[in-house]
Amino acid sequence: MKWISVAVLAFAPMLAVAADTAQAPAAASTAVPIEDFARMPQLSAMAIAPGGKYLAVKMPIDDTVIVVVIDRASGKHSASIRASGNNVVDQFWWVNDTRIVASVAEQLGGVDKPRPNGELYAINADGSGSTQLFGYRGAQQVGSRIQRGAEKRYASAFVIDTIPGDDKNILVQTFDWQNSENAPPAVELLDVYTGKTRRIGVGPKANASFVADHRGKVRVALAPDEDLNNVLYVRAGDEGEWRVFNDPKSSKVTMTPRLFARDNRHLYLDASRPGKPDALYRIDLDGDSKELLYEGGADPGELLLTPDRQDAYGVVTYDGKTAFHVFDAASPHARLALATQKAFPGQVALFGSFANDGKFGLVHVFSDRNPGDYYLFDTEKKNAEYIGSARKWIEPEQMAEMQPIRFKARDGVELNGYLTLPRGGGKNLPLVVHPHGGPHGIRDAWGFDPDVQLLANRGYAVLQLNFRGSGGYGADFLRAGYRQWGLAMQDDLTDATNWAVQQGHADPKRLCVYGASYGGYAALEGVVREPDLYRCAIGYVGVYDLGLMYRDGDIPNSLYGKRYLQMVLGTDPADMRRRSPAANVDRIKASVMLVAGGRDERVPVSQADALRKALDGRKHPYEWLLKDKEGHGFFRPENNVERYTKMLGFLGSSLAPEAAH
């Protein structure tokens, strides 16, 4: 087992955890219980309080996710915030040594990220002072600002940032639900004890998001235009007029702001480049200078911040395996990060939050086989104390290695992805092609994936592809997938499948495709477009009728959502029908399994019903699993155990050698 106490060990190679030195053949691998892959992570985020006395931990309990405060001295839970109904705690912020604020989101299911609903809660670390600061259930706390005559109008608040040196207030952006698509959001100071707000400005356009400097001045905004291009705005201070800093229509460059540098003059931002991934720059807002900090084979990830969070020394990278790049080599924090990384070979070690004095910092360690461990690092003693793990029941040495791959599609476009083989490797294996959901702006990355590891543990090779339209490889690569559902995007998956066969990894007679959401669409469209390639398809909460996307679900409920659909799908009903699996089941030869959630708001069960009706009309058999109380993906572990069990049975019968040959 990899759980070791490192409280008295200096960082050294001996600190490395459980590397695989001798791998058994796949057939001899230990079958890890399905339940181990279906269980929710014990914790998914952690932050240390500025004073260093408390830890805040985000963790699941029952059918929700809460944030718990832990007293470091006693190790006991001292406070918690739990949302009601079908909601979970989404994000949390330490405002001072003892006050924590959390945002709430609606849990749509196990596939999509929870959808923030604009509610904010706060509590003291000792459990006192619990209150709802903002949100429709606490409308009375935000006063006359949401009263219009006799009509009560609900508002939502989203945290922009905490304010250095201010222990009482945070910056939030607010909007009125009934006018959110037309009116720019307001910028307000929110008192984290009383819930009272004071407006200090307003955004340049509707749907704007903001970046504040380190004095608490909101000086940068990003807002979409009518074509959903993000325009960058800047201003001198809270009261200044917004001016356009970058309009992608004229500049042909999209800029995404990240963080103000310590001097409050320079801004870290991502900038698009023709035919390439985005690059990270530090630019002078008061001049013309810009400094290139990172460019690679994929878009830059999150910034690595100094302990006081007022500057950055590096950036997470996703070019193949997840890693990080240091662009300020002189920084003592960069040297510390590099030394820490050496203590965890084969994994990624990233510093998170620090106590104000910089003595203690949290380190998150993870890999393709390790779901994630957390350590408390003492910067003076240069040692680390193990705190906890996301999935402590997972043995990394029993998991499979996730290898980056790269090849060219039929039209010469370079594609990236990942191949996971069962431990011990092998040739001519049964292959599961596993397209990600989204699809636009989402990507697969090197790290632990329970679906992938379960399949590999049962002897399947798993292929994940960042097909065109995926995020992470630049604006042009993203836009190359627009209106290409079932066309070039699908061709990329076909080319990846053929690549795996040509490389000798996959048995050409034992190929299956399985995905969720858009991945479910790609799975069924795969067996429509390539009826002789795949033996089976599993669609999990998938889209099967493109026309229904304009009528059902939560996407078309907003103007932004409608414009998004028009941009990525087009508006021609006949064209969408040609690219819809439900309208082309006569081409399907493969075995089919469908999984759906009865409370799915993103992709309602009407999508699966449309495909079922079409399959029934052709008398094409299929396996069916519906859970009435689940949403966009199964959330409850017991339901995922059932889903995994049925999937493995389906794959076993569909890809058995005797069935294939």
Side-chain angles (χ1 to χ4, degrees), residues 397-523:
E397 62 270 18
Q398 294 181 349
M399 299 296 106
E401 186 177 2
M402 184 182 189
Q403 288 290 342
I405 63 169
R406 180 174 295 171
F407 66 95
K408 287 188 177 181
R410 65 187 67 180
D411 59 357
V413 172
E414 187 171 77
L415 300 175
N416 294 266
Y418 300 90
L419 179 68
T420 302
L421 301 178
R423 290 182 64 242
K427 292 290 186 178
N428 295 315
L429 296 166
L431 174 73
V432 177
V433 180
H434 187 36
H436 63 70
H440 303 294
I442 307 299
R443 61 157 293 169
D444 284 318
W446 186 84
F448 184 84
D449 185 316
D451 278 29
V452 172
Q453 291 295 339
L454 170 63
L455 292 170
N457 184 256
R458 294 310 194 265
Y460 297 98
V462 184
L463 178 62
Q464 299 167 273
L465 182 71
N466 288 319
F467 41 83
R468 70 193 75 195
S470 301
Y473 296 94
D476 287 347
F477 189 82
L478 173 69
R479 287 191 290 264
Y482 291 173
R483 304 195 182 192
Q484 292 298 309
W485 291 39
L487 301 174
M489 293 169 71
Q490 199 68 43
D491 289 341
D492 289 348
L493 289 167
T494 301
D495 293 349
T497 305
N498 288 328
W499 172 90
V501 171
Q502 293 161 4
Q503 296 296 311
H505 300 301
D507 182 343
K509 295 184 179 181
R510 291 193 291 166
L511 307 173
C512 191
V513 56
Y514 151 61
S517 195
Y518 171 84
Y521 167 86

Side-chain angles (χ1 to χ4, degrees), residues 211-228:
V211 176
D213 67 16
H214 303 302
R215 300 166 298 187
K217 304 296 184 182
V218 178
R219 296 167 48 206
V220 171
L222 195 68
D225 63 16
E226 63 278 2
D227 296 320
L228 304 187

Side-chain angles (χ1 to χ4, degrees), residues 120-418:
L120 298 177
Y121 294 80
I123 197 169
N124 293 328
D126 62 3
S128 64
S130 176
T131 186
Q132 180 175 357
L133 297 173
F134 214 101
Y136 69 93
R137 281 190 288 262
Q140 71 280 1
Q141 297 185 30
V142 294
S144 60
R145 191 173 44 77
I146 58 170
Q147 287 287 132
R148 302 292 187 273
E151 177 190 11
K152 178 176 288 186
R153 302 178 69 184
Y154 296 148
S156 293
F158 300 93
V159 175
I160 299 172
D161 210 343
T162 56
I163 306 172
D166 190 336
D167 290 346
K168 185 179 180 182
N169 300 289
I170 60 175
L171 287 164
V172 298
Q173 62 184 82
T174 65
F175 64 82
D176 184 323
W177 286 9
Q178 297 181 4
N179 198 29
S180 62
E181 291 192 313
N182 300 312
V187 178
E188 311 200 27
L189 281 176
L190 173 65
D191 188 311
V192 299
Y193 291 94
T194 67
K196 293 181 178 179
T197 61
R198 178 170 65 86
R199 180 170 295 193
I200 58 175
V202 66
K205 297 285 185 180
N207 298 308
S209 57
F210 303 94
V211 176
D213 67 16
H214 303 302
R215 300 166 298 187
K217 304 296 184 182
V218 178
R219 296 167 48 206
V220 171
L222 195 68
D225 63 16
E226 63 278 2
D227 296 320
L228 304 187
N229 297 305
N230 282 324
V231 179
L232 182 64
Y233 298 84
V234 300
R235 63 178 179 177
D238 285 339
E239 304 300 327
E241 292 293 325
W242 291 106
R243 64 179 176 87
V244 173
F245 187 85
N246 179 70
D247 186 343
K249 281 186 177 180
S250 55
S251 70
K252 308 302 180 184
V253 174
T254 299
M255 294 182 175
T256 305
R258 300 286 208 96
L259 174 80
F260 273 91
R262 188 178 304 279
D263 61 8
N264 283 322
R265 172 171 174 165
H266 289 83
L267 181 73
Y268 294 97
L269 58 74
D270 294 343
S272 64
R273 301 178 300 167
K276 296 181 179 180
D278 294 353
L280 177 68
Y281 293 88
R282 181 166 46 211
I283 66 169
D284 185 348
L285 289 179
D286 297 327
D288 296 327
S289 67
K290 67 177 182 179
E291 178 185 3
L292 175 64
L293 301 176
Y294 171 76
E295 61 177 345
D299 294 351
E302 64 181 299
L303 292 175
L304 301 179
L305 305 183
T306 56
D308 62 6
R309 305 185 69 81
Q310 295 197 29
D311 219 322
Y313 60 84
V315 62
V316 178
T317 61
Y318 295 102
D319 189 0
K321 293 185 178 182
T322 305
F324 66 85
H325 168 78
V326 167
F327 50 72
D328 185 2
S331 165
H333 314 301
R335 293 195 295 269
L336 177 62
L338 291 170
T340 304
Q341 177 60 60
K342 290 181 180 179
F344 295 94
Q347 304 190 83
V348 184
L350 300 176
F351 275 98
S353 60
F354 280 82
N356 272 346
D357 59 9
K359 181 180 180 182
F360 293 106
L362 290 174
V363 181
H364 181 209
V365 179
F366 64 94
S367 73
D368 51 345
R369 293 177 293 173
N370 176 11
D373 305 322
Y374 289 86
Y375 295 86
L376 185 67
F377 182 67
D378 188 321
T379 60
E380 295 178 354
K381 297 179 180 179
K382 299 296 189 293
N383 62 23
E385 177 184 1
Y386 169 74
I387 300 175
S389 298
R391 289 179 164 96
K392 68 178 182 180
W393 53 87
I394 291 291
E395 298 270 13
E397 62 270 18
Q398 294 181 349
M399 299 296 106
E401 186 177 2
M402 184 182 189
Q403 288 290 342
I405 63 169
R406 180 174 295 171
F407 66 95
K408 287 188 177 181
R410 65 187 67 180
D411 59 357
V413 172
E414 187 171 77
L415 300 175
N416 294 266
Y418 300 90

Side-chain angles (χ1 to χ4, degrees), residues 514-630:
Y514 151 61
S517 195
Y518 171 84
Y521 167 86
L524 271 296
E525 186 67 6
V527 296
V528 167
R529 293 255 301 181
E530 305 292 340
D532 297 317
L533 182 62
Y534 302 105
R535 292 198 61 83
C536 63
I538 303 173
Y540 177 30
V541 296
V543 173
Y544 311 115
D545 184 329
L546 298 186
L548 277 178
M549 292 191 71
Y550 279 92
R551 302 191 294 275
D552 291 353
D554 60 357
I555 297 177
N557 289 342
S558 68
L559 180 60
Y560 183 93
K562 292 175 183 175
R563 286 177 174 171
Y564 170 80
L565 292 176
Q566 292 167 2
M567 181 172 64
V568 303
L569 294 182
T571 58
D572 183 347
D575 176 57
M576 286 189 285
R577 183 171 177 80
R578 284 192 294 270
R579 294 183 288 133
S580 294
N584 297 280
V585 296
D586 57 312
R587 293 180 51 83
I588 297 177
K589 298 179 182 179
S591 301
V592 173
M593 178 177 178
L594 301 176
V595 182
R599 294 184 178 176
D600 193 339
E601 295 182 18
R602 180 57 43 85
V603 181
V605 72
S606 58
Q607 288 277 358
D609 286 340
L611 183 56
R612 290 180 71 199
K613 182 178 179 181
L615 290 169
D616 288 339
R618 299 291 299 184
K619 294 183 169 52
H620 188 102
Y622 56 90
E623 294 195 22
W624 172 252
L625 177 60
L626 171 69
K627 289 298 179 182
D628 290 330
K629 295 183 179 180
E630 292 283 7

